[in-house]
Amino acid sequence: MVVAAALPLVAEYGAAVTTSQIARAAGIGEATIFRAFKDKDEVLDACVAEAVGTDHVLRELATISLDEPLDVRLTEAAEALRAYMERMGTVVGALHASGHLRPGRGGPNGLQWRDGRDGRDGRDGRDEGRDGQHGAGPPPDARTQSFLALRDGVVELIEPDRDACRLSPEKVATAFLGLLFTRLHTPAPGAEAPLSPDELIAVLLHGSLKHPGSD
């Protein structure tokens, strides 16, 4: 409840948001926040984890009916993923601009908190091995893990049409995500407008060449 109430405020105010603002938005007393979180930084950390986490968008992908045609399934997936990326970009961008986050390694989607923490249990950005010793192995790449989770969610939507695809569902899903994420980048001045979802899926499924007899 606290994180859900905090997310839009963090997107608007970044690290300048106050716990009193969050409490009002959540309809609770400010003291209630500190029963669940040590301080405001912990609330902000939880907001980052929620924004970059894939659980919510994967649940949305799982609700898409496999009875729909493939292009409809992928259009719905594109809309769910667009909303996820925009939400993540807004929250992370606001916290980065206000100094709470900086680029790093090993934290959520490659982010690191300003004090050097990376989102794991170790407070200094190093990983712990099975024997409890720091530095026993390289940390997992959170961005790669997130991408693979999203890819697998899209693969499930493509799987019913496996036999109709020239490429494996895994390769189609990877191409779909690549086109989609490229589309979400802000185009340079004077550049062509990004593909619409319908255009993106048409290129993915049918290519960019006209077929004989087509308009």
Side-chain angles (χ1 to χ4, degrees), residues 51-167:
V52 304
T54 57
D55 289 351
H56 180 76
V57 69
L58 289 175
R59 286 194 295 269
E60 289 192 37
L61 295 179
T63 67
I64 297 173
S65 173
L66 298 181
D67 294 330
E68 297 284 357
L70 180 58
D71 59 341
V72 174
R73 276 176 260 152
L74 291 179
T75 298
E76 293 183 20
E79 289 302 323
L81 288 162
R82 177 195 59 78
Y84 161 71
M85 292 296 292
E86 288 184 354
R87 180 173 62 250
M88 178 174 67
T90 300
V91 171
V92 170
L95 289 175
H96 177 73
S98 55
H100 187 73
L101 289 173
R102 60 186 174 84
R105 296 180 60 189
N109 280 33
L111 298 168
Q112 196 170 66
W113 283 272
R114 61 184 173 188
D115 60 3
R117 289 177 294 126
D118 65 354
R120 293 189 302 275
D121 291 337
R123 306 290 287 187
D124 61 356
R126 292 176 295 173
D127 198 18
E128 288 193 9
R130 292 180 183 274
D131 58 358
Q133 298 298 314
H134 288 293
D141 184 334
R143 283 171 293 185
T144 298
Q145 290 181 334
S146 295
F147 179 85
L148 291 176
L150 295 175
R151 186 205 64 181
D152 290 346
V154 176
V155 165
E156 292 184 16
L157 298 176
I158 300 170
E159 187 64 41
D161 289 271
R162 174 183 286 272
D163 292 342
C165 295
R166 286 183 293 174
L167 301 175

Side-chain angles (χ1 to χ4, degrees), residues 151-212:
R151 186 205 64 181
D152 290 346
V154 176
V155 165
E156 292 184 16
L157 298 176
I158 300 170
E159 187 64 41
D161 289 271
R162 174 183 286 272
D163 292 342
C165 295
R166 286 183 293 174
L167 301 175
S168 69
E170 290 76 14
K171 288 186 176 181
V172 176
T174 298
F176 170 75
L177 291 174
L179 286 170
L180 180 63
F181 293 163
T182 299
R183 172 184 175 270
L184 292 173
H185 291 164
T186 302
E192 287 287 334
L195 296 174
S196 69
D198 288 343
E199 290 172 333
L200 184 153
I201 291 162
V203 169
L204 178 71
L205 297 182
H206 308 297
S208 58
L209 296 177
K210 292 183 177 180
H211 297 284

